[in-house]
């Protein structure tokens, strides 16, 4: 989102920016004392010992916070400003800082800053305008930090999902010309596409003639799942590889009939052994021949 759009969304006007800078002239000279007071509050929180166990690092952290608030009150809202807040979000995500203590900390900061402003020798109306402007910019800062944390969380989930997907689609060559894929869990359109891609790549690589898709571990089979499986079978056929869907239990067979799913000319078997035997016969092999060669 562009800076102008962000400012407009949070209703931060040029007048607000000017008011924040005016407040900075009052507050910046005493930011060190403000941060020390903030730490008095933080030390009462159980999270303090959890996230700040190294007392020797506190001076460095306080220095970074001093720079952060100095930049806040100078209010140069540019890409560098936004990136600095996103960096804070990345740090919080890395240490897994809970959102509640972050929000509580920002709320406490706002309270302390407002109290210092109101103690200053300024007209009440002018101070209240500064307070409102500071609040708007604090909300923007919170959004930038939490949006970064959320984005990183989504990326991590996507990476884990991709890794799980890789693990859950192991297309394996079990015999010369025969591939096996045991499916486990839930089948959806995204996973089907992944299965199809990996299967077709493996067929092209191994020049397999038979593909066994075992669904005995699939959580549930409905019309959508059945259609996904049929699509995979048709795609393998176009590659010159015949598909067999094994693991058709009585319950699954009954469900498919009740749903009126047309499996067409897709070969199905009740067990993986039946599928393997069918595949071997189709290739001119036999179970006995396999055992004899062991």
């Amino acid at each position: 989102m562009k800076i102008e759009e962000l400012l407009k969304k949070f209703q931060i006007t040029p007048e607000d920016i000017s008011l924040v800078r005016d407040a900075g002239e009052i507050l910046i000279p005493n930011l060190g004392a403000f941060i020390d007071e903030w730490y008095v509050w933080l030390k009462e929180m159980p999270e303090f010992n959890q996230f700040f166990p190294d007392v020797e690092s506190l001076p460095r952290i306080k220095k970074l916070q001093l720079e952060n608030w100095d930049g806040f009150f100078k209010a140069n809202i540019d890409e560098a400003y936004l990136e600095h807040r996103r960096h804070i979000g990345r740090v919080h995500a890395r240490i897994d800082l809970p959102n509640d203590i972050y929000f509580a900390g920002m709320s406490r900061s706002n309270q302390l800053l407002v109290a210092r402003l109101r103690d200053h020798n300024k007209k009440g109306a002018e101070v209240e305008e500064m307070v409102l402007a500071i609040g708007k910019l604090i909300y923007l800062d919170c959004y930038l930090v939490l949006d970064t944390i959320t984005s990183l969380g989504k990326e991590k989930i996507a990476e884990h999902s991709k890794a799980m997907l890789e693990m859950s689609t192991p297309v394996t060559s079990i015999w010369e010309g025969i591939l096996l894929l045991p499916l486990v869990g839930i089948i959806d359109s995204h996973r089907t596409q992944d299965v199809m891609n990996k299967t077709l790549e493996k067929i092209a690589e191994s020049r397999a003639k038979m593909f066994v898709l075992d669904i005995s571990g699939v959580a549930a089979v409905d019309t959508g799942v059945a259609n996904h499986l049929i699509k995979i079978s048709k795609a393998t056929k176009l590659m010159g590889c015949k598909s067999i869907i094994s693991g058709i239990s009585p319950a699954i067979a009954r469900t498919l009939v009740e749903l009126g799913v047309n499996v067409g000319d897709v070969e199905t078997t009740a067990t993986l052994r039946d599928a393997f035997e069918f595949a071997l016969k189709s290739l001119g092999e036999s179970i006995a021949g396999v055992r004899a060669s062991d």
Side-chain angles (χ1 to χ4, degrees), residues 259-280:
L259 292 172
V261 175
N262 180 18
V263 296
D265 57 355
V266 177
E267 192 69 37
T268 61
T269 65
T271 67
L272 182 57
R273 177 186 171 84
D274 291 341
F276 188 36
E277 187 174 33
F278 181 88
L280 287 172

Side-chain angles (χ1 to χ4, degrees), residues 6-230:
L6 272 175
L7 295 177
K8 183 178 180 181
K9 182 161 286 187
F10 284 85
Q11 297 182 313
I12 299 174
T13 65
E15 290 75 17
D16 290 320
I17 299 295
S18 180
L19 285 165
V20 171
R21 290 171 179 166
D22 289 344
E25 292 181 5
I26 299 170
L27 297 171
I28 286 177
N30 296 302
L31 281 178
F34 150 70
I35 290 173
D36 286 340
E37 190 175 356
W38 185 81
Y39 270 94
V40 171
W41 164 82
L42 183 62
K43 287 178 180 179
E44 297 175 354
M45 301 296 110
E47 289 84 359
F48 179 79
N49 291 327
Q50 180 181 354
F51 293 97
F52 300 94
D54 183 9
V55 178
E56 295 179 358
S57 67
L58 279 182
R60 179 181 61 83
I61 296 172
K62 286 184 177 182
K63 183 174 181 294
L64 292 173
Q65 288 177 299
L66 185 66
E67 293 172 357
N68 176 70
W69 285 109
D70 182 77
F72 177 91
F73 284 109
K74 287 178 179 174
N76 295 316
I77 316 298
D78 53 13
E79 285 298 334
Y81 183 96
L82 302 187
E83 174 55 29
H84 182 74
R85 272 60 191 169
R86 292 181 183 123
H87 172 71
I88 294 173
R90 289 192 288 271
V91 171
H92 287 185
R94 187 174 69 248
I95 66 175
D96 201 22
L97 185 75
N99 289 340
D100 60 345
I101 191 63
Y102 170 67
F103 270 116
M106 292 300 288
S107 174
R108 183 57 180 159
S109 295
N110 187 51
Q111 292 168 15
L112 294 174
L113 292 170
V114 167
R116 287 173 176 272
L117 271 179
R118 287 174 176 160
D119 286 343
H120 197 268
N121 188 21
K122 279 270 187 183
K123 292 181 180 179
E126 185 178 357
V127 167
E128 293 311 311
E129 288 179 352
M130 290 180 183
V131 168
L132 290 174
I134 289 172
K136 290 181 182 180
L137 196 52
I138 283 179
Y139 280 128
L140 175 60
D141 275 25
C142 289
Y143 159 73
L144 292 169
V145 170
L146 292 174
D147 183 60
T148 301
I149 293 172
T150 302
S151 297
L152 291 173
K154 289 179 179 178
E155 289 175 11
K156 188 178 292 186
I157 291 172
E159 289 172 3
H160 288 170
S161 297
K162 184 178 179 181
M164 290 298 293
L165 204 60
E166 293 285 343
M167 293 172 61
S168 64
T169 54
V171 183
T172 308
S173 179
I174 58 171
W175 192 257
E176 185 68 30
I178 304 175
L179 296 177
L180 168 66
L181 172 58
L183 283 179
V184 178
I186 298 172
I187 307 297
D188 56 21
S189 58
H190 179 70
R191 190 178 180 194
T192 302
Q193 190 62 46
D194 185 71
V195 168
M196 188 179 296
N197 291 340
K198 286 184 171 59
T199 300
L200 297 182
E201 288 172 7
K202 193 70 175 180
I203 290 172
E205 174 190 323
S206 65
R207 301 175 70 181
K209 297 301 179 184
M210 301 296 297
F211 171 60
V212 179
L213 185 62
D214 184 66
I215 64 169
S216 55
V218 173
V221 175
D222 56 18
T223 306
V225 171
N227 287 331
H228 288 323
L229 299 179
I230 292 169

Side-chain angles (χ1 to χ4, degrees), residues 175-178 209-210 242 244 275-291 293:
W175 192 257
E176 185 68 30
I178 304 175
K209 297 301 179 184
M210 301 296 297
K242 184 175 179 60
I244 308 167
F276 188 36
E277 187 174 33
F278 181 88
L280 287 172
K281 288 180 179 179
S282 297
L283 295 177
E285 301 280 355
S286 67
I287 293 292
V290 172
R291 288 173 178 166
S293 64

